[in-house]
Amino acid sequence: MSKIDFADCLYFSSARFTRLITKISDQQFKRVGLSPTAAFILMSLNDGDDVSPSQLADDLSLDRSTITRFLDKLEQRTLITRTANGRSVIVTLTIDGKQLQPTLKQLWADLNRSYQRLLTVGGEAQLRGLLNTAFEDAREK
């Protein structure tokens, strides 16, 4: 019986790499007690616009239930507020959430530099481009 080479499987290869990148990201945002997803939600609210949970889910390519779970945690930490607007809900940053923005932007920049050290600047840009293109192509099908 021949041994299976799991590295020939896209799922295995991408999941293995994702675990590596996730570990780096988790360590980075743990400095402020957030997960990468929670940090990205907060950073996406920084534009000052009121956003619906559905829009956040679409912008971040996450399930609406995932967004709701993270919004619950962010609201408990008083980093966001959710306000009913008719039948919809609007999410906004609180003062605490706004004050955290410069730190989040610095952590994000540091995180990207970590990826570039790991992969080289050109390698990181190339891999990111390939992943974004593959995602968009797959989503259109």
Side-chain angles (χ1 to χ4, degrees):
M1 183 174 195
S2 63
K3 185 174 179 178
I4 297 172
D5 185 359
F6 292 111
D8 287 340
C9 173
L10 178 60
Y11 171 77
F12 177 84
S13 297
S14 63
R16 178 176 58 176
F17 188 73
T18 297
R19 286 189 295 275
L20 174 68
I21 295 298
T22 299
K23 184 177 179 181
I24 296 167
S25 301
D26 286 345
Q27 290 171 344
Q28 187 70 5
F29 289 108
K30 187 188 287 187
R31 296 175 184 184
V32 289
L34 294 171
S35 69
T37 301
F40 290 148
I41 289 170
L42 290 173
M43 287 187 288
S44 69
L45 292 169
N46 190 39
D47 294 335
D49 296 333
D50 295 338
V51 180
S52 72
S54 295
Q55 185 62 50
L56 284 170
D58 291 343
D59 291 348
L60 297 173
S61 301
L62 295 169
D63 290 333
R64 281 158 180 67
S65 61
T66 301
I67 289 291
T68 298
R69 190 173 67 249
F70 278 99
L71 291 178
D72 290 344
K73 292 176 184 178
L74 292 170
E75 193 168 39
Q76 287 174 347
R77 288 191 54 185
T78 66
L79 297 172
I80 61 133
T81 58
R82 288 182 280 192
T83 308
N85 185 11
R87 292 184 352 171
S88 63
V89 173
I90 300 300
V91 181
T92 46
L93 287 172
T94 62
I95 292 171
D96 290 343
K98 289 176 184 176
Q99 290 175 342
L100 190 56
Q101 292 299 314
T103 301
L104 292 176
K105 286 183 179 181
Q106 184 61 54
L107 291 173
W108 188 44
D110 293 345
L111 178 63
N112 286 323
R113 280 190 292 279
S114 295
Y115 296 150
Q116 292 169 351
R117 279 192 302 275
L118 181 68
L119 301 167
T120 74
V121 173
E124 183 273 339
Q126 183 179 13
L127 179 57
R128 185 174 21 87
L130 287 169
L131 290 170
N132 287 328
T133 298
F135 178 80
E136 291 301 325
D137 289 350
R139 189 167 64 168
E140 291 174 6
K141 293 181 179 181

